[in-house]
Amino acid sequence: MTEKQFLPGNYLDLPKSGKATWKAPSNIALVKYWGKKPVQIPANPSISFTLDTCATTTSVSFDKKEDNGALSFDLLFDGKPKEDFKPKIHTFFERIREYVPFLGKYHFTIETSNSFPHSSGIASSASGMAALSMCLMDVEKTLNPSMAENLFHAKASYLARLGSGSACRSIKGSMVQWGAHENIPNSSDLYGIEYPFEVNSVFNTFCDTILLVHKGQKQVSSTVGHQLMHNHPYADNRFQQAFSNLDRLKPILASGDLEEFIKLVESEALTLHAMMMTSMPYFILMKPDTLEIINKVWEYRSETKIPLCFTLDAGANVHLLYPLSEKENVRKFIKDNLAEHCENGQYIHDGVGSGAIKINS
Ligand code: PMV
């Protein structure tokens, strides 16, 4: 699909008011997106597991207003006004306005909440932007009921991407691929697609326990981190590596070869952080406890042969990935050996989910 196809069709008469509510999950990348071109075009393709428990629920209520111009909205987080979130939403609305022109015709009340604890260090931008985009597409669908299902989801992902890159992977499907890749049919820089190849059933129920190592504010935001990939001495090699890792992943996902899966996923996580450490200015987002956990995971894996591995986001928290069949063993290991490295002993058991869902009010 091209950008042109995301321009709106002919709207029916605008309803006076209405409300849409959607819940969208977070996602965890296996092959990482790090580095972009304007506007939110990834420098390399990526792929992620969609999560289940970690999610944002957003309601958008809309009331027709007289003037047909300025953007107008209120924002409530956990039921309370949240002024400091507004500039980001305002920029997002300005950016997508051409594609959803009804934005200028209504006053919106956006109510949002996360399933995970506030300031847990879990980024809510992916699930938040995905949930908001689904609500907007829900409004659009009311105005254009004949819109095809695949266009609905592709455009939701397209809008979400313009809010926060990785958000485009939180719309539909349990494995989502984003970024044009010559060997992946229908892949696009503009939106995420459900991974089109065979995926072994072991991955359908894969578990992800998120160890909350550091809940504070990161010293360097993802936005700045992406920018530092411009003129980065290793950028070109890194981007090439991501392309070839997607090729390497194809037989691994089909066969369920966990040994090879672990090598690829852990290497991707450490490469992401190596890019941060070798940019100028350089920075480190891992904490001593992040490294303690990684070393304990390696030790546990070598002693027990249980296929437990880690991946990292742009932060100090650790995502532990393992098959459902090892749930009892791994959860005992986490409780007994890794919880001590988490802030206030906190961690979240999550697993592979299937995408955003509509909540009926
Ligand atoms: O979507 P952003 O701009 O917050 O970037 C996210 C980047 C990583 O989480 C580090 C990797 C990824 O692919 O999700």
Side-chain angles (χ1 to χ4, degrees), residues 30 49-50 174-175 198-207 249-262 265 309 321-324 351-353:
L30 305 173
F49 275 145
T50 304
S174 31
M175 291 206 77
E198 187 189 350
V199 176
N200 188 281
S201 62
V202 71
F203 296 114
N204 297 338
T205 53
F206 233 58
C207 301
L249 200 55
K250 188 176 166 189
I252 297 175
L253 290 177
S255 64
D257 181 341
L258 294 182
E259 208 172 303
E260 288 302 310
F261 177 80
I262 288 172
V265 166
C309 71
L321 302 177
Y322 50 96
L324 185 64
V352 170

Side-chain angles (χ1 to χ4, degrees), residues 108-327:
F108 294 93
T109 304
I110 305 166
E111 295 170 78
T112 187
S113 62
N114 295 329
S115 66
F116 40 90
H118 186 48
S119 69
S120 58
I122 297 183
S124 59
S125 56
S127 52
M129 286 299 177
L132 181 54
S133 300
M134 288 310 269
C135 291
L136 296 179
M137 285 311 295
D138 200 305
V139 180
E140 168 134 337
K141 179 99 182 155
T142 323
L143 306 177
N144 178 12
S146 63
M147 182 177 218
E149 183 94 341
N150 64 341
L151 178 61
F152 176 86
H153 286 111
K155 183 166 172 181
S157 175
Y158 176 83
L159 297 181
R161 183 199 104 234
L162 291 170
S164 171
S166 59
C168 78
R169 298 188 313 236
S170 278
I171 300 294
K172 188 168 180 275
S174 31
M175 291 206 77
V176 181
Q177 192 275 332
W178 166 43
H181 188 299
E182 60 175 356
N183 300 329
I184 304 181
N186 302 321
S187 58
S188 169
D189 282 345
L190 302 178
Y191 51 88
I193 58 167
E194 282 191 76
Y195 188 60
F197 302 125
E198 187 189 350
V199 176
N200 188 281
S201 62
V202 71
F203 296 114
N204 297 338
T205 53
F206 233 58
C207 301
D208 177 3
T209 298
I210 308 158
L211 305 177
L212 305 177
V213 171
H214 182 71
K215 304 198 287 177
Q217 188 82 29
K218 291 187 290 197
Q219 311 105 294
V220 180
S221 68
S222 288
T223 310
V224 172
H226 283 293
Q227 273 164 12
L228 293 174
M229 287 303 278
H230 294 291
N231 305 318
H232 188 296
Y234 306 127
D236 288 343
N237 281 342
R238 160 59 198 154
F239 300 147
Q240 271 321 308
Q241 181 196 40
F243 277 89
S244 62
N245 275 348
L246 274 153
D247 283 326
R248 279 181 57 207
L249 200 55
K250 188 176 166 189
I252 297 175
L253 290 177
S255 64
D257 181 341
L258 294 182
E259 208 172 303
E260 288 302 310
F261 177 80
I262 288 172
K263 280 190 213 155
L264 191 145
V265 166
E266 292 192 343
S267 155
E268 273 288 324
L270 293 179
T271 303
L272 167 71
H273 284 257
M275 290 300 110
M276 300 173 191
M277 289 188 233
T278 49
S279 57
M280 192 55 77
Y282 40 82
F283 59 105
I284 302 180
L285 295 184
M286 289 185 285
K287 297 283 176 196
D289 281 309
T290 312
L291 297 178
E292 292 284 351
I293 291 168
I294 291 175
N295 279 303
K296 284 191 176 180
V297 166
W298 285 341
E299 216 176 293
Y300 178 77
R301 196 165 70 222
S302 112
E303 277 169 14
T304 63
K305 310 290 175 232
I306 288 177
L308 167 70
C309 71
F310 72 86
T311 187
L312 306 164
D313 254 344
N317 294 339
V318 182
H319 287 247
L320 292 183
L321 302 177
Y322 50 96
L324 185 64
S325 56
E326 298 295 353
K327 183 171 139 181

Side-chain angles (χ1 to χ4, degrees), residues 16-34:
K16 261 186 80 146
S17 63
K19 184 174 179 177
T21 306
W22 281 77
K23 180 177 175 185
S26 186
N27 68 74
I28 180 69
L30 305 173
V31 173
K32 310 286 179 182
Y33 147 63
W34 198 243

